[in-house]
Amino acid sequence: MLGIMQDRPLLISSLIDYAAQYHGEGAIVSRTVEGPIHRYTYTDAWKRSKKLAKALQKLDVKLGDRVATLAWNGFRHFELYYGVSGIGAVLHTINPRLFAEQIIYIVNHAEDDYIFTDLTFVPLLEQIQDKFSGVKGFVVMTDEEHMPDTTLENVLCYETLLAAEDDEFEWPAFDENTASSLCYTSGTTGNPKGVLYSHRSTVLHSFIVCMKDTLGLSSMETVLPVVPMFHANCWGIAYAAPMCGAKLVFPGAGMDGASVYELLDSENVTLTAGVPTVWLMLLNHMRENKLTLDVLERVICGGSAAPRAMIEEFEEAHGARMIHAWGMTEMSPIGTCGTLKTGMEKFTPKERYDIQEKQGRGTYGVEMKIIDDDGNEQPRDGVAFGNLLVRGPAICAGYYKGDGGQVLDDDGWFDTGDVANIDDQGYMQIVDRSKDVIKTGGEWISSIDLENTAVGHPEVVEACVIGVYHPKWDERPLLLVIKSAGSSLDAAGMLSYLEDKIVKWWMPDDVVFVDELPHTATGKLLKSQLREEYKDYKLPTA
Ligand code: AMP
């Protein structure tokens, strides 16, 4: 027997409609590429997304066509999130930090019709435009006054396009399973793979993001996503904020400590989200300039693990709680969130930090399990670890055009490539990426754990651990360290710092001090490159 309820499709356009109707006065603040801070409301954004939708239709953009963006977090990018998907076209957010060859590959793979670009990326596009096979034109996201003198072919001005339209527009209705947006994984090896979200998965994910147990968004919150709108849908925040009328603050290109601090402070931000590198820069800036943040309540950290010292500093110096969120582009992206459960408020700070160090509990809509290499499910005791598998309605079932092959097992589980444990309260902790874990004499060492312990040293700026060849143990850990300017830390000092903090057999066999470490386009340590670089490294213990 079927239920007798209205069958209304879950469409992305309903999010901005809702925001305009119930939170029309809600603010959206953006640091623009042109310079000044821009302010407007959800009603303004709603009207302009409708103008954009009409302009796109005039450009003959139809249901299913791909429209790309190369842009920072800002109000025009926000309008594209709604204007493009709202007419059933597919918003392809490109990560500008990818190598030029990767950008060329994904533009051609996605068969983008138009590319909307911030002024920043015009020079990049000028250099590579002749490698694009099907792009019909470029739209520079600025006004006539700031239009650059450019060699881009078929170039249009965003504000001129919008000025030609009125906002009398009904969003079209279509199947909620229609593709809405496309995001390529950064991929440390091989070509990037496209994750193709649907309207349904995006709206369901927005509910999950808003939940009190996840980011807990509401119209009472002011949210600053430092996480880019080109990285995994801005972790869903650009969709979830309109769902509940939260004030949005977009940082534009300013992700350094001073710029982020300025907006957090002047806009009275209550919740912010980004990767540990961003928080490292912010904390350094605040420490050096003796600054504090009083209004900020929660700092969401994802993409990589936050070291404990960072969690402690946010709480003890600024009264802000750092909460881990873990996920992947393939998961829309949020899978877990480290909010506390009832009773935990009574924990001592140390007990609470133990929880906050983990990646968090599965959110509603995300099933998780850990298995060994033979497929046997491992106990949820916080000790046993295994390959982390996930299943849910906002998790990908394959990659765009089938590239990347079959990704689900017979029961519909997706292998995240992460190795994790899950405790009896349901909190998951990432132990490592399956390809980064150090396999030594049949046992596994977590490179992440070692790195996080090493950065606890006050003179360590960044640390990276890789496995290098050892004739007896197969692999042993090598610790690469960037130390602070003027530090006289040496290998012996580094190892003696670790001595009482890790088990003996985890002790790195050597320490190398470096000036920089390579990162991927999404800010993660590029360990595949380091493994290649150090593949012939001779350990003193070998
Ligand atoms: P991406 O698709 O670029 O967002 O990368 C997803 C991967 O980033 C995951 O599979 C994890 O390996 C890693 N990751 C994401 N969030 C966290 C976190 N909070 N702690 C540790 N690793 C994370």
Side-chain angles (χ1 to χ4, degrees), residues 301-314:
C301 183
S304 318
R308 187 175 182 115
M310 185 181 274
I311 299 171
E312 290 171 352
E313 188 171 351
F314 266 112

Side-chain angles (χ1 to χ4, degrees), residues 5-261:
M5 302 304 282
Q6 296 186 12
D7 187 11
R8 305 281 300 163
L10 300 174
L11 298 179
I12 285 174
S13 53
S14 70
L15 299 171
I16 193 76
D17 278 351
Y18 177 82
Q21 190 158 27
Y22 291 98
H23 302 283
E25 69 300 338
I28 301 176
V29 180
S30 312
R31 187 191 290 286
T32 62
V33 177
E34 295 89 338
I37 298 287
H38 175 275
R39 290 174 192 278
Y40 72 172
T41 64
Y42 274 120
T43 299
D44 298 325
W46 173 67
K47 288 184 175 169
R48 283 171 49 94
S49 324
K50 291 191 164 201
K51 288 182 176 194
L52 173 64
K54 288 177 97 164
L56 287 166
Q57 287 185 333
K58 255 191 208 158
L59 290 172
D60 200 30
V61 173
K62 298 183 294 297
L63 194 83
D65 288 349
R66 270 78 64 209
V67 174
T69 58
L70 262 172
W72 304 110
N73 293 9
F75 68 102
R76 295 191 184 102
H77 205 176
F78 182 75
E79 290 160 9
L80 280 149
Y81 262 54
Y82 292 92
V84 173
S85 304
I87 60 168
V90 178
L91 180 79
H92 171 203
T93 50
I94 301 175
N95 184 341
R97 296 183 184 133
L98 292 172
F99 297 121
E101 301 78 61
Q102 289 177 313
I103 295 181
I104 295 163
Y105 171 83
I106 63 175
V107 166
N108 291 337
H109 189 267
E111 300 175 68
D112 294 325
D113 281 338
Y114 284 92
I115 300 181
F116 282 67
T117 176
D118 265 339
L119 283 163
T120 322
F121 309 112
V122 169
L124 168 71
L125 287 170
E126 284 172 341
Q127 280 171 29
I128 57 178
Q129 62 174 335
D130 57 341
K131 304 265 177 32
F132 297 151
S133 46
V135 174
K136 295 178 189 156
F138 301 88
V139 181
V140 184
M141 294 159 67
T142 190
D143 53 20
E144 282 293 344
E145 193 191 334
H146 293 92
M147 270 304 275
D149 193 12
T150 173
T151 56
L152 280 181
E153 282 170 30
N154 299 325
V155 70
L156 298 161
C157 168
Y158 186 91
E159 289 302 332
T160 311
L161 271 184
L162 260 63
E165 307 299 333
D166 62 38
D167 54 34
E168 290 299 313
F169 183 74
E170 284 286 323
W171 299 112
F174 39 78
D175 187 321
E176 65 183 15
N177 289 301
T178 303
S180 61
S181 36
L182 177 63
C183 196
Y184 282 75
T185 59
S186 52
T188 48
T189 51
N191 283 322
K193 298 189 286 281
V195 180
L196 189 62
Y197 309 96
S198 70
H199 283 258
R200 174 185 155 82
S201 69
T202 304
V203 173
L204 291 176
H205 185 263
S206 306
F207 281 114
I208 296 169
V209 171
C210 286
M211 285 175 69
K212 185 92 176 156
D213 270 1
T214 315
L215 302 198
L217 299 189
S218 80
S219 63
M220 312 292 273
E221 302 282 341
T222 297
V223 187
L224 189 158
V226 187
V227 52
M229 293 170 86
F230 55 73
H231 184 195
N233 307 314
C234 196
W235 297 349
I237 293 171
Y239 297 117
M243 180 179 251
C244 61
K247 174 178 164 186
L248 269 171
V249 182
F250 287 128
M255 298 187 198
D256 58 290
S259 307
V260 171
Y261 176 82

Side-chain angles (χ1 to χ4, degrees), residues 342-374:
T342 180
M344 291 180 174
E345 284 298 344
K346 297 198 191 84
F347 278 12
T348 61
K350 185 196 164 295
E351 288 169 330
R352 196 155 38 69
Y353 297 147
D354 287 346
I355 298 286
Q356 281 169 253
E357 255 188 301
K358 301 188 178 205
Q359 273 60 34
R361 282 178 287 141
T363 55
Y364 171 78
V366 176
E367 290 175 74
M368 293 194 292
K369 69 173 179 181
I370 43 173
I371 59 167
D372 66 14
D373 285 342
D374 299 322

Side-chain angles (χ1 to χ4, degrees), residues 184-187 231-232 235 276 301-306 323-331 333 336 357-359 416-419 428 430 432-433 448 520 522 524:
Y184 282 75
T185 59
S186 52
H231 184 195
W235 297 349
C301 183
S304 318
I323 301 170
H324 262 130
W326 163 88
M328 317 176 69
T329 304
E330 287 87 337
M331 298 176 72
T336 64
E357 255 188 301
K358 301 188 178 205
Q359 273 60 34
T416 62
D418 284 322
V419 175
M428 181 275 282
I430 297 283
D432 221 329
R433 287 294 292 167
I448 295 180
T520 67
T522 51
K524 297 183 182 48

